[in-house]
């Protein structure tokens, strides 16, 4: 038995790491009883509903902006298997766990190509640490595109390495197709798409690839991009989104125009500094080492006038990161919100890193190898000093901007889940705690990876990986808890689930109208539609209710109860904030025997 384990310990280690990755992605699956209140999720699920013949347009029309449909293709089969929301949502979370394991495999394969001299068991440990990054864990309990997008980006990087090793038309087509898949999954990858086009043109202009490979690397992507325009127009029209510019370049027009001014460039510097501060803080400086490694490889090739083994890959990685950071920063430099700082300005504008985290995984991998296996102590010391200077600069920029913001709780946990560790020490956002914890973590890493004897290097590297993982796990879980699970539990405590369940038992094929008066809380309409998958739900105002018709249901705010006139309105069920009403005497009489409580006429309540 022991001898068999010794022979297969690498395989055993892989399975152990995979199981841990899977478990922490689905950690909160027992508590995922309803969809989290996030527009992004509703956008993806409504595409999947349309693909399976469900018309949800009367709910989403006018309230939703455009969301890409790539992830919706993954959700579509769930509608074929079941129409039980609880099962479908939990199945989507399980898929997140599967995607994470596949990401782990691709991370290992990329590491094996980039660092062939590293021992295989060490590659498994380092890749495990990368895949346990706190923000990745945070995305596990929610059914939106993040975890799937991370997988696609890692697949893109792996295919790029394969193409770099063996340039062929088949790898070029796969690479181009994967790039298109990334884009239709989320438009935020436009920065990576731009980097891809630059790299392909660079390879052709330097005669690294011929015209055949040039065409193979571009044609599938161009076809996907052009077809995507028609699909997007069709979905926006049919589903009632409207051809809005959200998540496209049209939405960024005002932001781009602001760059024609000095104030606009200062806003961009603020946003970029905040992003870099957030990413360096959450990774304890490893991101910096990844950027340095990519940059130094490119500089060496430029000086020697000859590309090294993976120079093109490092150039693509660096350009993809720069492009993604810029796209994220430009989309968030809202001129009014950042230029005219106020006490309750949203911190998200400064530390939003969620868009960047689809690409930084490779920087964590490269950066950790660069830090752990730095050739000389003098080089490590010099780069550490440079890292301190950069971090101090961006911290100062962020500090003087945040000084004007007093409502420091105005911050979305999903925008920068990696720095969620501060919440364990402070109820409000604390720049000081973040810097202190990050600096302490970076110091421990340097001690572990610098002060050792050569024969014990791998032990220290393993200890450093475990140290980071131990920090990443609670941070990621805590951010998921406050960002998603608490929202779901809040709906349970307010009684919405019970209201949905009772309505689903009696609704049949009748319509449900959800009014938007007073609070304008149209999200309850989303929740109704997602819990009543086969029911026709409409978002409507009180004034537009069809008062001359009967036999339908109304969901409205409790504050609207006194606005109903007539004798044929009956209360079916009520939650803390909402109430479901039966319209029509005949429908009331039909349903009365099916419920275990009296259906009260609204006139009695007045």
């Amino acid at each position: 038995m022991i001898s068999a384990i010794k022979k297969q310990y690498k395989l055993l280690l892989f399975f152990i790491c995979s199981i841990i990755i899977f478990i922490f992605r689905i950690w909160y699956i027992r508590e995922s009883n309803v969809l989290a209140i996030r527009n992004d999720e509703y956008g993806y699920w409504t595409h999947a509903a349309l693909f399976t013949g469900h018309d949800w347009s009367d709910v989403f029309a006018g309230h939703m902006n455009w969301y890409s449909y790539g992830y919706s293709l993954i959700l579509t089969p769930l509608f074929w298997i079941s129409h039980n929301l609880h099962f479908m949502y939990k199945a989507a979370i399980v898929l997140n766990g599967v995607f994470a394991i596949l990401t782990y495999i691709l991370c290992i394969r990329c590491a094996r190509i980039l660092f062939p001299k590293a021992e295989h068991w060490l590659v498994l440990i380092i890749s495990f640490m990368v895949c346990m990054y706190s923000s990745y864990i945070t995305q596990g309990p929610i059914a939106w595109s993040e975890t799937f997008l991370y997988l696609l980006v890692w697949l893109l990087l792996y295919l790029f390495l394969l193409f770099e090793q063996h340039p062929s038309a088949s790898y070029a087509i796969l690479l181009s197709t994967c790039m298109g898949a990334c884009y239709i999954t989320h438009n935020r990858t436009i920065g990576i798409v731009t980097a891809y086009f630059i790299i392909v043109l660079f390879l052709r202009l330097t005669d690294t690839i011929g015209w055949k490979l040039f065409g193979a690397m571009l044609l599938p992507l161009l076809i996907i991009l052009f077809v995507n325009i028609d699909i997007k127009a069709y979905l926006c029209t049919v589903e009632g989104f409207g051809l809005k510019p959200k998540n496209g370049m049209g939405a960024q027009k005002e932001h781009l125009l602001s760059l024609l001014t000095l104030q606009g460039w200062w806003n961009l510097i603020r946003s970029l500094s905040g992003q870099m501060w957030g990413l360096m803080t959450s990774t304890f400086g490893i991101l910096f080492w990844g950027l340095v490694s990519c940059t130094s490889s490119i500089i060496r090739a430029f000086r020697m006038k000859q590309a090294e083994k993976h120079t093109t890959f490092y150039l693509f990685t660096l350009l993809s990161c720069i492009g993604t950071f810029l796209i994220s920063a430009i989309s968030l430099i809202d001129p009014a919100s950042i230029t005219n700082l106020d006490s309750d300005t949203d911190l998200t504008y400064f530390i939003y890193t969620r868009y960047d985290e689809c690409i930084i995984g490779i920087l964590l991998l490269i950066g950790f190898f660069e830090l752990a296996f730095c050739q000389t102590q003098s080089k490590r010391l010099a780069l550490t000093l440079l890292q301190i200077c950069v971090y101090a600069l961006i911290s100062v920029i962020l500090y003087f901007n945040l000084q004007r913001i007093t409502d420091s709780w105005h911050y979305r946990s999903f925008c920068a889940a990696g720095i969620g560790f501060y919440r364990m020490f402070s109820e409000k956002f604390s720049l000081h705690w973040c810097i202190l914890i990050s600096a302490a973590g970076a110091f421990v890493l340097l001690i572990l990876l610098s002060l050792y004897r050569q024969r014990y290097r791998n032990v220290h590297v393993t200890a450093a990986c475990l140290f980071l993982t131990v920090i990443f796990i609670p941070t990621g879980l805590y951010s998921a808890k406050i960002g998603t699970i608490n929202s779901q539990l809040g709906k349970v405590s307010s009684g919405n689930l019970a209201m949905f369940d009772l309505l689903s038992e009696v609704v049949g094929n009748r319509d449900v109208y959800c009014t938007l008066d007073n609070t304008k809380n149209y999200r309850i309409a989303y929740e109704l539609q997602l819990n009543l998958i086969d029911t026709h739900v409409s978002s409507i105002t009180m004034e537009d209710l069809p008062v001359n018709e009967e036999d339908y249901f109304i969901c409205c705010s409790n504050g609207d109860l006194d606005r109903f006139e007539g004798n044929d309105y009956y209360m079916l069920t009520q939650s803390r904030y909402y109430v479901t009403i039966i319209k029509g005497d005949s429908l009331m009489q039909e349903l009365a025997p099916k419920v275990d409580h009296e259906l009260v006429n609204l006139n009695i309540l007045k």
Side-chain angles (χ1 to χ4, degrees), residues 173-451:
I173 292 172
L174 287 173
L175 180 61
S176 183
T177 302
C178 184
M179 184 71 265
C182 290
Y183 183 73
I184 67 171
T185 299
H186 205 296
N187 293 161
R188 82 183 62 157
T189 55
I190 186 65
I192 304 177
V193 173
T194 303
Y196 182 82
F197 277 120
I198 293 173
I199 287 294
V200 174
L201 290 173
F202 172 76
L203 293 175
R204 175 77 278 275
L205 292 174
T206 56
D207 290 325
T208 305
I209 59 174
W211 287 105
K212 179 181 178 181
L213 288 181
F214 178 74
M217 292 185 76
L218 286 185
L219 189 58
L221 175 58
L222 291 174
I223 292 174
I224 291 172
L225 293 179
F226 279 113
V227 172
N228 178 68
I229 294 174
D230 291 333
I231 295 176
K232 178 177 179 179
Y234 171 77
L235 291 175
C236 285
T237 303
V238 172
E239 295 174 326
F241 288 101
L243 297 177
K244 301 176 183 179
K246 180 69 174 180
N247 289 340
M249 292 306 295
Q252 315 309 324
K253 180 178 66 174
E254 185 177 343
H255 299 166
L256 290 170
L257 289 176
S258 73
L259 295 179
L260 298 178
T261 66
L262 290 177
Q263 182 63 57
W265 278 99
W266 176 231
N267 289 348
L268 180 64
I269 292 172
R270 286 172 165 179
S271 183
L272 281 173
S273 297
Q275 287 183 77
M276 291 303 299
W277 177 87
L279 292 171
M280 286 184 66
T281 301
S282 64
T283 62
F284 304 94
I286 298 177
L287 177 89
F288 171 83
W289 290 86
L291 291 171
V292 165
S293 182
C294 292
T295 304
S296 61
S297 175
I298 297 166
I299 292 175
R300 282 196 305 269
F302 179 77
R303 287 178 176 177
M304 297 172 61
K305 297 182 180 180
Q306 183 177 0
E308 297 179 345
K309 190 173 183 179
H310 297 298
T311 300
T312 305
F313 175 80
Y314 287 129
L315 179 59
F316 174 60
T317 299
L318 186 62
L319 290 176
S320 297
C321 291
I322 293 173
T324 304
F325 294 165
L326 283 172
I327 291 296
S328 179
I330 291 172
S331 67
L332 291 165
I333 55 168
D334 186 305
S337 296
I338 290 188
T339 302
N340 305 312
L341 292 179
D342 202 349
S343 60
D344 62 346
T345 298
D346 193 343
L347 291 177
T348 303
Y349 288 102
F350 293 97
I351 55 177
Y352 197 103
T353 58
R354 177 179 145 231
Y355 285 0
D356 306 324
E357 283 157 353
C358 66
I359 190 65
I360 69 166
I362 188 64
L363 291 181
L364 296 181
L365 178 68
I366 296 171
F368 188 85
F369 269 98
E370 177 71 20
L371 176 60
F373 299 98
C374 196
Q375 295 178 353
T376 63
Q377 292 288 11
S378 59
K379 179 182 178 181
R380 180 183 282 116
L381 178 60
L383 289 176
T384 300
L385 292 175
L386 177 60
Q387 175 187 357
I388 292 172
C389 293
V390 172
Y391 188 66
L393 176 62
I394 57 180
S395 296
V396 168
I397 293 175
L398 189 61
Y399 175 78
F400 281 108
N401 282 292
L402 297 189
Q403 282 297 300
R404 299 167 62 182
I405 303 175
T406 56
D407 183 12
S408 57
W409 186 246
H410 196 97
Y411 154 76
R412 285 170 274 172
S413 59
F414 269 89
C415 75
I419 60 172
F421 48 65
Y422 81 84
R423 287 176 180 261
M424 301 177 187
F425 301 94
S426 174
E427 292 185 357
K428 294 186 177 182
F429 177 78
S430 173
L431 186 69
H432 302 88
W433 270 114
C434 287
I435 293 175
L436 181 62
I437 296 171
S438 180
F443 178 75
V444 172
L445 277 180
L446 286 172
I447 294 296
L448 286 172
L449 298 175
S450 300
L451 303 179

Side-chain angles (χ1 to χ4, degrees), residues 136-150:
Y136 294 165
I137 295 176
T138 300
Q139 308 302 335
I142 188 168
W144 60 7
S145 66
E146 311 305 297
T147 306
F148 180 59
L149 183 61
Y150 301 152

Side-chain angles (χ1 to χ4, degrees), residues 475-535:
T475 302
L477 290 178
Y478 192 67
S479 293
K481 181 76 173 180
I482 61 177
T484 295
I485 304 305
N486 285 353
S487 296
Q488 295 173 339
L489 295 177
K491 291 199 291 184
V492 174
S493 64
S494 64
N496 289 356
L497 275 184
M499 183 177 69
F500 297 150
D501 289 341
L502 179 57
L503 187 56
S504 65
E505 293 175 4
V506 300
V507 67
N509 59 357
R510 298 177 181 86
D511 292 339
V512 177
Y513 293 96
C514 188
T515 64
L516 307 178
D517 300 74
N518 296 332
T519 63
K520 304 295 181 183
N521 191 349
Y522 51 82
R523 286 178 177 172
I524 191 66
Y526 299 171
E527 295 169 17
L528 275 171
Q529 183 65 86
L530 290 165
N531 282 273
L532 308 174
I533 292 174
D534 298 307
T535 301

